[in-house]
Amino acid sequence: MPTSVLWAVDLFGRVYTLSTAGQYWELCKDAQMEFKRVSAATRCCWGIACDNQVYLYVCASDVPIRCREEAYENQRWNPMGGFCEKLLPSDRWPWSDVSGLQHRPLDGVALPSPHWEWESDWYVDENFGGEPTEKGGWTYAIDFPATYTRDSKWNSCVRRRKWIRYRRYKTRDSWAKIPSKDDPKELPDPFNDLSVGGWEITEEPVGRLSVWAVSLQGKVWYREDVSHPNPEGSSWSLMETPREVAQISCGPHDLVWATLWEGQALVREGINRNNPKGSSWSIVEPPGSENGIMQVSVGISVVWAVTKDHKVWFRRGVNSHNPCGTSWIEMVGEMIMVNVGLNDQVWGIGNEDRTVYFRQGVTPSELSGKTWKAIVMSRESDRSYSGSSSSLLSAGCFFGDEVRGSGTESAPSDTDASSEVERRCPEQLLPEESLDNSQNPKGSSSPDPGTGRTSECTMENTCLAEGKGKASEASCLDERSGHTSTPVELPWTNIDLKEPKKVPSNSAAGLPGTTGLSSLGFFPLGMEEPYGADDHPLWAWVSGGGCAVEAGSMLKWFTVQSGLSPSVQMLSLSITPAQTATWRKQIFQQLTERTKRELENFRHYEQAVEQSVWVKTGTLQWWCDWKPHKWVDVRVALEQFTGHDGARDSILFIYYVVHEEKKYLHVFLNEVTVLVPVLNEAKHSFALYTPERTRQRWPVRLAATTEQDMNDWLALLSLSCCESRKVHGRPSPQAIWSVTCKGDIFVSEPSPDLEAREHLLPCDQMFWRQMGGHLRIIEANSRGVVWGIGYDHTAWVYTGGYGGGCFQGLSSSTSNIYPQSDVKSVYIYENQRWNPVTGYTSRGLPTDRYMWSDATGLQECTKASTKPPSLQWAWVSDWYVDFSVPGGTDQEGWQYASDFPASYHGYKTMKDFVRRRCWARKCKLVTSGPWLEVAPIALSDVSIIPESLDTEGREHSIALWAVSDKGDVLCRLGISELNPAGSSWLHVGTDQPFTSVSIGACYQVWAVAKDGSAFYRGSVSPSQPAGDCWYHIPSPPKQKLRQVSVGQTSVYALDENGNLWYRAGITPSYPQGSSWEHVSNNVRRVSVGPLDQVWVIANKVQGSHSLSRGTVCRRTGVQPREPKGQGWDYGIGGGWDHISVRANATMALRNMSWEQEAHGPGPVCC
Amino acid sequence: MSDDKDVLRDVWFGRIPTCFTLYQDEITEREAEPYYLLLPRVSYLTLVTDKVKKHFQKVMRQEDVSEIWFEYEGTPLKWHYPIGLLFDLLASSSTLPWNITVHFKSFPEKDLLHCPSKDAIEAHFMSCMKEADALKHKSQVINEMQKKDHKQLWMGLQNDRFDQFWAINRKLMEYPPEENGFRYIPFRIYQTTTERPFIQKLFRPVAADGQLHTLGDLLREVCPSAITPEDGEKKNQVMIHGIEPMLETPLQWLSEHLSYPDNFLHISVVPQPTD
């Protein structure tokens, strides 16, 4: 799970964040201002500062927020000067928008706010429908508004071209002021409360947000057009309310609740995708008449509230259909506020102690949770304060802290680290005690000692004594380093921070815009003491809207961690201390010595126990693939025996009875090439292939009654197969990786003669073993760097472990196995036919498809009967209408057509007699494997540079290019064998979203854009990892490209119709090549390796017994002078989806001369 | 880098070269040759000495043969202790091979349990396993297993089948992810210097403050005499499987990797050899 942060504001208005993996509260990076409210989303946080203005904090990301501005230059031909800017009086502006209606001179296009900057100057768009115009971007037409063509014709009277300029949002990781709504004619009405949510109202990836705000006068405002590409939104709109509103809360989905000054709650109704602002309010009465609701917070289907007596309430029965819920339930605990974050997790701030509490045990089935648990993390600054005030902070100690905090865990050994911690502990406690002592006399003299909270009283007294309190609002006291309210017994509305007074110079450090390290210098011992109250942070507001805590996951916020217990270690690919610890090394060393001592000279002794045959038996079901074609119960026995050479071999016997005849079949496990789990809705089965059965496309299929039983058999058989082939441990860096359409991951060790010129190993003899985890795409490189992408677009990096998933125990490595999850959607279609009487209804013609069906219409799929794809998957959402289908939809998600099956469009015409809409439902799978998430950017494609096996060039970091799920092209920096996850992304600007990218061995980067054309990136090199510019390469005629793969020199591309194309004419001086040459059809995926070997996943391959879809195939006869090869060699099949041979640079030795030949006079020299 | 799995293998395949000689007072028909054998450290004497018995019975008259028992330097060897433990405890400082004397007469009733058949060993082994799981998981794991799983554990040990044994035993080594280890660590500490057969107490793998307990923590708590005082001379060796793990080693890790097949950590505290 990637880390995310909880936002909070302390009593002084300072904003802090606490990471889910963190150990302390971190001061917000831009801490120039005090805040009274924050409301966080995943990528940003909105807040109200003490000037009552709204501010927006956009978190920095490797991918910039980028917006395209366009303008059109229009010209008309006249006989005198040809095409010129002189247009007819009736024509459009010479510079206009796309419609021609708006005048748009290039220098008139301004940045929307000071928080944006231009990325570059204006330039002409040369790309016209996937092809370069090659004529300065001009496109021609007979007249304005008309169809434009690429070429000028005799009747082309007008032409136009498009100018493009990108702007970027620049104010990131700092607070940007959002212009006030104030109309100069009216009195200013400052903001009082604010809430962000609504990102789940639509599934569209624009990242739309709902921002609701409340002013001091009790008016409700909605910020228009807030989305990821437009983080600031455009304007405030006033929302009518029946009465004056005090506070508001907006959930991630369609819940919006507000509180009224009188203590009732207002619930917004009618919020949906087309109307995120909702339509009406209804009133919900508070739980009791004497104590009205003070504050409310909503999630996806929960509402929590705090009444004026600080009691906490949970609203029962809230959901999209009934946003008001049914009744209040009182919860334990007294809070000043509660906040519902992601996954309906809940945080609160205690009334007595002002501590942030987390509601433990909130799960989808138990939304009210179990208990409040205090978050005891201290602030980053506290740690350094206590260090400095004890005057004993040595550089070493501080360094120790930093290491733990950032999780890099490079402490030299457990011994040293833990002893250091032990030494530190008493010192940290010391100053606290002394401070308490010094406060007690003051506290007892305070006028209100009854609260028993000496620290805050002290604070008050200090302020009053210094005479700096401003009586602007009785409850509001200025304080030297910030502002606070009197913390006890005041309604929330008074947590109101006034304009900060300029701090006296001697407390400049009170603006803690510095990190812990530099604050050390600012805080001399003597100054800190009066503010000892700081030691225990007192909180005013908390927001979990950006904090992803999965139900049931482990958080480390509740105990102060010390030492290096394994649970504290952050997930990181760096070597864990347990592995480097001296004790561990010592045990390995001593065991080796022991074996030497006790066995070396005695090997001729007889063994006490003789090895014997071991048989495991059991009952399974076996698919009888001839009459009667059904699953039959069988007895199976696995016999394992040890040969004289100590090698292990096994035979699997399957005893079956068909037609009352007892028969058996047997399989030598050393002949098995792959064991594939085949999970479906009902059956736990797996398929077993040998080379012969691969050729037949006819595996042995076995099923177990329970998942556990199947996993046991699968693990045992797989282990036996690996043993008989002596394959174990981590796959080699040259390994070939593949993924099935079920997301299962397989890996094969390439033998040297796999890519031999003669006598090559047929690829149906390759042995594949399964690796834990679930992926859609996998890519590898010969230096052992492997990346994968899940169905939910999450990027994963290989950790070097093996096993996981159903491979537990011996078939799994002890370390480097982590939990992994994946999410995908299941789609069904609702079909309707129009009839003249009732319009569209779910009564079709007798010949029609099912009214609820799959995409083809052949299978009936109703909401109730449709199950997740297999028992591994569980539903995690309800059915929702999918609006993002190709072709577009109307407002209710319908697509229209003249008849089934036909092409659908998103609007109704006279001729449309049928319509359909797509329903989606998300399901989730949880497994484990040697994979770690590379957060936070989701990917749709990835490519790692293929490298030859020589050590040349290994000092460079490993080049990796990727395409994000939004189509951004990215280049990963800092990847090495030791840090396969790399450090950061470099964004490579494009004029349109991309879909596929591939980098060749000589840094040739090719990519495919959404319009189906290809692009070549110029000047990419280790010193210029992102290259300089894109060269547009048209796709093959009438084809849209889908994928590209670049090997040593070869460039192959795949189009949407399954055609494989080879790029001809590539030379060092003209790396773009000259033309596409057709190689084959029937291809689903291509992978070109460092030897220019070409492997594909073929759509359909006919075997002697049956047909297989999704088959691994190798191009045969590929040679330097014949890079397109001659034919196909067919390997494992039946549901394969992806292959990467890009790590395999292993060649048989006798072919070395061939390789030199290839690289000497070859087409491209690196 | 070596994987922790290799430790399990090394532990399982630990062998002690042993020389069996017949006790001088046993009556033989002809001279009994010594018998040399590699004994699995993790197994039990009476489980792996069929060959020894056969070898010596060949030179003896049938009527002189009664229950076999073993002795090393005057100490009868308890068959219900794992072989590796017996060796570490009694003979770790002696030279190899380990010289064991074989007896067929005068069974030392007060020192040894009878071992009428392999069933007795199985019963003893399984009861140890159950006790260990009671400590680790309140018996939940072992009770959830089927009879055939129990059988597989025993057959794995008996036939020296590492895979067969560990395919089941791994389940006994798991613990809930929200915990940092087992409930209690099954361990026994043996000393030759005391009368008490061994020390066994309840000891958790994780301290109240979340810190992992180490081998040193355990010894300080239950057997302080084994620990070398800070300024003192090292007087004792703390041995498991013939090695001396550092006192900083986390106990949970030791329990998962250096336990005997009966799931107990058998720790020997023996005097430091003087040479």
Side-chain angles (χ1 to χ4, degrees):
Chain A
M1 193 177 66
T3 61
S4 55
V5 296
L6 178 69
W7 289 73
V9 182
D10 72 2
L11 276 183
F12 305 104
R14 292 182 295 223
V15 180
Y16 287 86
T17 57
L18 175 62
S19 160
T20 46
Q23 295 290 298
Y24 52 85
W25 290 96
E26 259 179 285
L27 193 62
C28 177
K29 284 200 184 82
D30 174 26
Q32 295 306 309
M33 221 171 326
E34 284 79 38
F35 278 78
K36 59 177 191 175
R37 273 295 179 286
V38 288
S39 182
T42 323
R43 287 204 200 91
C44 64
C45 184
W46 288 67
I48 299 176
C50 50
D51 58 0
N52 289 322
Q53 296 294 318
V54 174
Y55 288 81
L56 165 64
Y57 186 99
V58 175
C59 302
S61 151
D62 290 336
V63 180
I65 297 172
R66 200 163 168 259
C67 262
R68 172 144 110 174
E69 297 286 354
E70 291 177 359
Y72 285 86
E73 183 181 3
N74 306 303
Q75 293 190 345
R76 181 174 282 281
W77 189 85
N78 75 46
M80 304 295 287
F83 283 105
C84 67
E85 283 186 28
K86 278 202 199 88
L87 302 182
L88 296 178
S90 61
D91 273 344
R92 54 185 59 195
W93 301 92
W95 291 89
S96 73
D97 66 349
V98 64
S99 66
L101 299 174
Q102 222 162 15
H103 183 43
R104 201 165 160 81
L106 292 188
D107 54 3
V109 179
L111 290 169
S113 82
H115 306 298
W116 292 84
E117 65 188 358
W118 291 113
E119 193 177 88
S120 62
D121 205 352
W122 288 97
Y123 60 93
V124 167
D125 183 16
E126 290 269 5
N127 182 359
F128 180 65
E131 285 186 41
T133 61
E134 291 162 7
K135 296 181 192 69
W138 291 106
T139 57
Y140 298 84
I142 302 168
D143 196 1
F144 291 118
T147 329
Y148 295 87
T149 58
R150 195 174 144 225
D151 299 308
S152 168
K153 295 184 190 138
W154 65 271
N155 61 355
S156 300
C157 295
V158 298
R159 65 174 188 179
R160 71 167 186 187
R161 60 178 172 178
K162 182 159 67 175
W163 290 78
I164 300 176
R165 191 179 196 186
Y166 282 91
R167 57 183 161 90
R168 280 169 194 251
Y169 188 78
K170 68 174 178 186
T171 313
R172 300 196 297 176
D173 272 357
S174 70
W175 292 100
K177 189 170 177 177
I178 299 295
S180 167
K181 67 200 181 298
D182 292 334
D183 187 338
K185 282 171 274 181
E186 283 181 40
L187 284 172
D189 181 13
F191 283 110
N192 191 31
D193 189 35
L194 169 133
S195 183
V196 185
W199 51 83
E200 284 179 21
I201 294 180
T202 68
E203 288 291 319
E204 279 98 304
V206 289
R208 213 196 53 76
L209 281 183
S210 296
V211 179
W212 295 77
V214 173
S215 70
L216 278 178
Q217 291 172 20
K219 289 180 183 155
V220 172
W221 300 83
Y222 179 86
R223 185 81 184 164
E224 301 282 354
D225 304 326
V226 181
S227 65
H228 178 67
N230 186 24
E232 306 157 280
S234 57
S235 62
W236 292 104
S237 328
L238 181 64
M239 310 298 291
E240 291 301 324
T241 47
R243 268 174 270 169
E244 283 180 12
V245 171
Q247 182 259 335
I248 197 159
S249 173
C250 172
H253 195 46
D254 54 6
L255 279 186
V256 174
W257 279 52
T259 54
L260 297 174
W261 285 98
E262 291 89 348
Q264 296 100 327
L266 272 188
V267 181
R268 191 71 178 166
E269 294 190 322
I271 292 179
N272 59 43
R273 178 176 174 275
N274 300 316
N275 184 17
K277 289 189 270 192
S279 47
S280 62
W281 296 102
S282 52
I283 289 187
V284 168
E285 291 299 321
S289 51
E290 61 276 19
N291 285 304
I293 299 170
M294 180 168 87
Q295 189 253 342
V296 69
S297 185
V298 302
I300 292 173
S301 50
V302 295
V303 175
W304 290 69
V306 176
T307 45
K308 288 182 175 136
D309 53 356
H310 304 294
K311 291 217 165 78
V312 181
W313 302 83
F314 176 84
R315 186 76 177 170
R316 203 202 297 256
V318 178
N319 57 47
S320 276
H321 310 293
N322 182 20
C324 295
T326 52
S327 61
W328 293 106
I329 308 172
E330 188 179 343
M331 310 302 284
V332 179
E334 292 201 348
M335 299 278 161
I336 55 155
M337 61 87 61
V338 287
N339 185 273
V340 182
L342 297 179
N343 301 324
D344 285 343
Q345 300 293 320
V346 181
W347 289 267
I349 294 177
N351 177 41
E352 277 294 313
D353 53 3
R354 290 298 178 105
T355 299
V356 176
Y357 286 86
F358 174 66
R359 186 76 183 171
Q360 267 213 324
V362 174
T363 61
S365 55
E366 196 175 359
L367 287 166
S368 56
K370 293 203 171 75
T371 51
W372 293 108
K373 207 155 182 192
I375 295 176
V376 298
M377 297 295 102
S378 58
R379 287 164 298 186
E380 180 185 30
S381 44
D382 299 338
R383 296 158 76 90
S384 45
Y385 293 170
S386 61
S388 67
S389 56
S390 64
S391 311
L392 284 165
L393 181 81
S394 69
C397 282
F398 192 79
F399 178 69
D401 260 356
E402 285 292 290
V403 167
R404 275 194 297 281
S406 60
T408 47
E409 305 285 17
S410 60
S413 83
D414 280 22
T415 352
D416 297 354
S418 57
S419 62
E420 189 178 281
V421 169
E422 278 160 29
R423 240 185 323 108
R424 277 178 55 82
C425 283
E427 292 164 13
Q428 279 177 327
L429 289 174
L430 258 175
E432 218 171 62
E433 283 164 15
S434 64
L435 288 172
D436 282 346
N437 291 341
S438 68
Q439 281 159 10
N440 280 341
K442 281 189 188 176
S444 55
S445 67
S446 102
D448 182 16
T451 60
R453 285 162 62 242
T454 43
S455 54
E456 290 194 3
C457 295
T458 316
M459 220 154 51
E460 233 169 286
N461 287 343
T462 321
C463 301
L464 291 170
E466 286 174 8
K468 285 181 178 163
K470 274 193 172 177
S472 52
E473 279 196 37
S475 61
C476 219
L477 290 165
D478 280 10
E479 198 268 342
R480 275 165 42 147
S481 62
H483 306 268
T484 181
S485 61
T486 33
V488 213
E489 295 301 315
L490 283 166
W492 64 274
T493 45
N494 286 328
I495 309 171
D496 198 2
L497 304 160
K498 285 274 109 180
E499 184 71 35
K501 210 160 71 72
K502 283 293 157 247
V503 286
S505 58
N506 67 338
S507 65
L511 294 173
T514 47
T515 63
L517 188 61
S518 52
S519 65
L520 272 181
F522 279 112
F523 286 97
L525 178 62
M527 260 198 58
E528 256 310 281
E529 266 176 333
Y531 297 95
D534 244 357
D535 241 6
H536 162 64
L538 302 171
W539 297 103
W541 196 262
V542 63
S543 173
C547 188
V549 179
E550 298 258 354
S553 67
M554 292 292 295
L555 284 168
K556 299 158 197 145
W557 292 341
F558 312 115
T559 48
V560 179
Q561 299 281 354
S562 57
L564 288 168
S565 84
S567 67
V568 184
Q569 293 159 17
M570 263 182 55
L571 293 186
S572 145
L573 266 187
S574 54
I575 298 152
T576 54
Q579 283 172 301
T580 50
T582 326
W583 58 259
R584 194 173 174 280
K585 279 191 209 148
Q586 182 116 350
I587 283 174
F588 275 86
Q589 194 187 337
Q590 286 192 30
L591 278 172
T592 314
E593 282 167 12
R594 185 200 74 175
T595 307
K596 199 174 164 198
R597 184 174 69 232
E598 296 180 353
L599 217 51
E600 186 115 295
N601 298 317
F602 305 98
R603 291 208 183 271
H604 56 285
Y605 279 31
E606 201 179 332
Q607 290 283 354
V609 183
E610 296 293 337
Q611 288 293 318
S612 54
V613 174
W614 175 48
V615 182
K616 180 176 161 87
T617 56
T619 49
L620 291 173
Q621 283 194 311
W622 165 73
W623 178 252
C624 179
D625 212 357
W626 52 81
K627 260 188 166 174
H629 286 287
K630 64 171 188 184
W631 289 98
V632 290
D633 289 330
V634 290
R635 226 160 40 76
V636 290
L638 179 69
E639 281 192 24
Q640 295 191 309
F641 43 87
T642 312
H644 289 297
D645 54 350
R648 198 73 73 69
D649 210 344
S650 320
I651 308 176
L652 179 69
F653 291 92
I654 300 166
Y655 301 95
Y656 62 94
V657 181
V658 173
H659 303 308
E660 293 176 21
E661 236 183 309
K662 286 185 181 176
K663 289 185 171 179
Y664 76 94
L665 56 102
H666 66 280
V667 184
F668 291 98
L669 287 196
N670 62 3
E671 288 179 1
V672 170
T673 53
V674 69
L675 293 154
V676 199
V678 186
L679 296 170
N680 55 32
E681 281 176 25
K683 211 101 192 151
H684 308 277
S685 70
F686 58 94
L688 182 154
Y689 284 91
T690 60
E692 193 190 351
R693 288 189 173 271
T694 301
R695 288 190 289 274
Q696 295 170 334
R697 307 286 154 203
W698 198 48
V700 176
R701 292 176 62 192
L702 293 165
T705 42
T706 66
E707 189 181 355
Q708 186 58 47
D709 208 15
M710 183 188 100
N711 287 347
D712 285 352
W713 273 102
L714 206 54
L716 177 67
L717 290 173
S718 164
L719 192 66
S720 304
C721 289
C722 289
E723 251 175 10
S724 62
R725 290 179 184 261
K726 299 197 173 65
V727 174
H728 54 83
R730 176 186 177 151
S732 76
Q734 278 77 42
I736 297 175
W737 295 77
S738 67
V739 177
T740 66
C741 58
K742 306 268 185 196
D744 292 323
I745 303 155
F746 288 87
V747 62
S748 178
E749 289 300 328
S751 70
D753 46 357
L754 189 64
E755 300 296 345
R757 200 173 186 182
E758 296 134 10
H759 314 294
L760 47 74
L761 181 84
C763 57
D764 54 22
Q765 291 186 9
M766 291 166 74
F767 172 66
W768 296 92
R769 65 170 160 146
Q770 198 179 345
M771 199 52 70
H774 191 267
L775 294 173
R776 191 172 55 87
I777 281 178
I778 196 161
E779 284 295 327
N781 151 294
S782 58
R783 279 157 76 180
V785 176
V786 183
W787 279 51
I789 301 174
Y791 279 74
D792 60 358
H793 299 289
T794 307
W796 300 90
V797 64
Y798 176 60
T799 61
Y802 54 94
C806 68
F807 301 99
Q808 300 290 322
L810 297 175
S811 38
S812 171
S813 56
T814 327
S815 47
N816 291 330
I817 296 291
Y818 301 102
Q820 194 189 22
S821 67
D822 208 348
V823 175
K824 68 176 182 182
S825 292
V826 172
Y827 300 96
I828 59 172
Y829 288 85
E830 180 182 7
N831 305 303
Q832 293 191 343
R833 179 169 288 276
W834 187 84
N835 73 56
V837 185
T838 49
Y840 285 104
T841 64
S842 54
R843 269 199 308 277
L845 298 176
T847 55
D848 270 348
R849 55 181 56 194
Y850 295 103
M851 290 293 103
W852 287 88
S853 74
D854 65 353
T856 63
L858 300 174
Q859 292 279 324
E860 177 163 31
C861 299
T862 63
K863 282 186 186 176
S865 71
T866 303
K867 293 198 169 66
S870 80
L871 296 164
Q872 292 178 295
W873 295 88
W875 293 126
V876 289
S877 80
D878 207 345
W879 289 104
Y880 59 91
V881 174
D882 183 12
F883 293 91
S884 57
V885 286
T889 70
D890 72 0
Q891 292 223 328
E892 288 179 306
W894 292 104
Q895 293 190 293
Y896 298 84
S898 54
D899 196 3
F900 302 116
S903 68
Y904 298 89
H905 40 258
Y907 47 90
K908 186 185 164 358
T909 67
M910 288 298 289
K911 288 178 284 182
D912 292 328
F913 290 99
V914 299
R915 65 175 186 178
R916 69 165 189 188
R917 64 175 164 184
C918 179
W919 289 82
R921 192 174 189 186
K922 283 182 183 156
C923 53
K924 183 174 182 177
L925 164 149
V926 177
T927 177
S928 64
W931 308 98
L932 264 185
E933 180 168 355
V934 186
I937 292 170
L939 301 182
S940 63
D941 195 19
V942 67
S943 175
I944 315 173
I945 189 166
E947 287 173 289
S948 54
L949 287 181
D950 54 29
T951 49
E952 201 185 313
R954 293 223 159 176
E955 69 275 14
H956 298 310
S957 62
I958 296 166
L960 180 147
W961 284 60
V963 178
S964 82
D965 63 334
K966 299 193 172 57
D968 293 302
V969 178
L970 304 162
C971 165
R972 190 77 177 171
L973 303 179
I975 295 183
S976 65
E977 286 99 328
L978 293 176
N979 182 20
S983 52
S984 63
W985 291 108
L986 193 61
H987 179 254
V988 181
T990 57
D991 289 344
Q992 58 173 316
F994 275 44
T995 56
S996 167
V997 71
S998 184
I999 177 166
C1002 314
Y1003 290 87
Q1004 326 92 294
V1005 174
W1006 286 68
V1008 173
K1010 204 144 215 173
D1011 67 5
S1013 57
F1015 285 84
Y1016 172 80
R1017 184 77 182 171
S1019 307
V1020 180
S1021 69
S1023 54
Q1024 197 180 351
D1028 58 4
C1029 64
W1030 291 109
Y1031 296 94
H1032 185 202
I1033 290 157
S1035 55
K1038 299 199 179 75
Q1039 298 292 352
K1040 287 177 87 176
L1041 293 179
R1042 201 162 55 97
Q1043 193 222 329
V1044 64
S1045 188
V1046 189
Q1048 174 77 24
T1049 58
S1050 290
V1051 178
Y1052 277 83
L1054 197 62
D1055 70 32
E1056 285 182 337
N1057 298 315
N1059 295 305
L1060 182 65
W1061 302 86
Y1062 170 75
R1063 186 72 183 170
I1066 291 177
T1067 65
S1069 56
Y1070 196 61
Q1072 294 100 310
S1074 53
S1075 63
W1076 294 107
E1077 291 179 4
H1078 190 255
V1079 179
S1080 173
N1081 57 6
N1082 187 32
V1083 176
R1084 182 186 287 191
R1085 184 91 203 172
V1086 59
S1087 181
V1088 184
L1091 310 171
D1092 278 339
Q1093 72 268 41
V1094 182
W1095 291 64
V1096 301
I1097 303 290
N1099 261 330
K1100 290 178 191 170
V1101 167
Q1102 181 67 49
S1104 58
H1105 285 62
S1106 116
L1107 175 114
S1108 86
R1109 290 165 199 281
T1111 303
V1112 172
C1113 299
R1114 168 182 52 193
R1115 190 75 184 161
T1116 55
V1118 175
Q1119 291 178 23
R1121 307 209 184 284
E1122 198 164 347
K1124 286 161 67 183
Q1126 286 152 345
W1128 295 108
D1129 177 23
Y1130 303 103
I1132 187 65
W1136 256 254
D1137 224 16
H1138 184 99
I1139 186 165
S1140 175
V1141 297
R1142 293 167 61 81
N1144 182 21
T1146 328
M1147 315 192 67
L1149 273 174
R1150 60 177 181 275
N1151 287 308
M1152 285 311 279
S1153 57
W1154 177 80
E1155 191 183 23
Q1156 277 154 11
E1157 188 190 329
H1159 290 226
V1164 173
C1165 298
C1166 305
Chain B
M1 174 170 305
S2 311
D3 191 87
D4 287 353
K5 289 271 149 48
D6 300 340
V7 176
L8 302 181
R9 241 170 232 283
D10 281 355
V11 165
W12 184 274
F13 291 106
R15 296 286 185 268
I16 297 167
T18 312
C19 171
F20 289 94
T21 36
L22 193 63
Y23 183 55
Q24 56 200 12
D25 292 358
E26 299 280 349
I27 304 151
T28 59
E29 292 187 308
R30 49 181 194 276
E31 204 187 335
E33 294 281 323
Y35 193 75
Y36 297 92
L37 209 54
L38 285 174
L39 296 182
R41 270 181 165 271
V42 295
S43 195
Y44 298 92
L45 268 177
T46 43
L47 190 59
V48 294
T49 47
D50 285 350
K51 287 177 178 174
V52 178
K53 203 165 152 188
K54 242 180 244 161
H55 172 81
F56 291 114
Q57 278 173 354
K58 276 191 286 189
V59 298
M60 292 173 73
R61 277 183 306 173
Q62 201 60 41
E63 59 267 33
D64 293 328
V65 176
S66 57
E67 187 174 350
I68 190 170
W69 60 280
F70 304 93
E71 161 256 311
Y72 170 70
E73 289 184 348
T75 314
L77 297 175
K78 294 184 169 73
W79 63 262
H80 64 282
Y81 284 8
I83 293 165
L85 167 66
L86 291 170
F87 179 80
D88 291 347
L89 197 59
L90 305 170
S92 54
S93 53
S94 68
T95 51
L96 291 169
W98 187 18
N99 284 302
I100 293 182
T101 310
V102 180
H103 295 258
F104 286 97
K105 278 196 305 203
S106 10
F107 192 87
E109 303 284 344
K110 67 174 182 26
D111 293 320
L112 296 186
L113 298 172
H114 281 286
C115 180
S117 70
K118 298 246 157 100
D119 295 345
I121 314 172
E122 182 180 355
H124 166 73
F125 172 72
M126 288 314 297
S127 75
C128 285
M129 278 225 142
K130 284 173 184 165
E131 183 180 349
D133 199 55
L135 293 167
K136 291 200 284 193
H137 311 105
K138 299 186 186 171
S139 303
Q140 277 161 356
V141 181
I142 196 103
N143 286 347
E144 273 170 29
M145 284 183 182
Q146 295 173 341
K147 186 88 189 115
K148 70 173 169 76
D149 295 336
H150 291 180
K151 206 75 195 167
Q152 188 171 334
L153 287 168
W154 167 245
M155 294 305 284
L157 177 71
Q158 192 178 351
N159 296 333
D160 194 27
R161 303 290 308 229
F162 175 73
D163 306 349
Q164 189 181 359
F165 177 81
W166 270 98
I168 305 296
N169 195 52
R170 69 174 176 84
K171 293 174 190 162
L172 293 164
M173 289 298 175
E174 286 164 358
Y175 51 87
E178 63 271 17
E179 315 271 322
N180 281 334
F182 302 136
R183 224 161 65 91
Y184 298 104
I185 298 290
F187 73 92
R188 285 173 184 167
I189 298 175
Y190 303 80
Q191 285 166 294
T192 44
T193 50
T194 58
E195 281 302 296
R196 241 171 118 184
F198 54 76
I199 303 170
Q200 181 179 351
K201 284 181 180 160
L202 291 182
F203 196 80
R204 289 190 187 270
V206 186
D209 62 0
Q211 288 265 37
L212 284 178
H213 274 141
T214 63
L215 180 60
D217 295 335
L218 173 74
L219 292 171
R220 269 186 287 276
E221 173 95 23
V222 304
C223 185
S225 61
I227 301 229
T228 311
E230 242 169 61
D231 43 356
E233 201 184 320
K234 188 181 172 191
K235 289 206 211 88
N236 289 305
Q237 286 182 307
V238 177
M239 287 192 121
I240 314 172
H241 293 294
I243 64 169
E244 289 182 79
M246 290 171 69
L247 295 183
E248 289 80 12
T249 315
L251 205 56
Q252 175 66 30
W253 190 93
L254 282 177
S255 184
E256 285 173 53
H257 296 90
L258 291 192
S259 283
Y260 278 82
D262 63 7
N263 276 250
F264 271 89
L265 269 178
H266 294 288
I267 304 166
S268 312
V269 177
V270 294
Q272 174 83 11
T274 41
D275 48 63

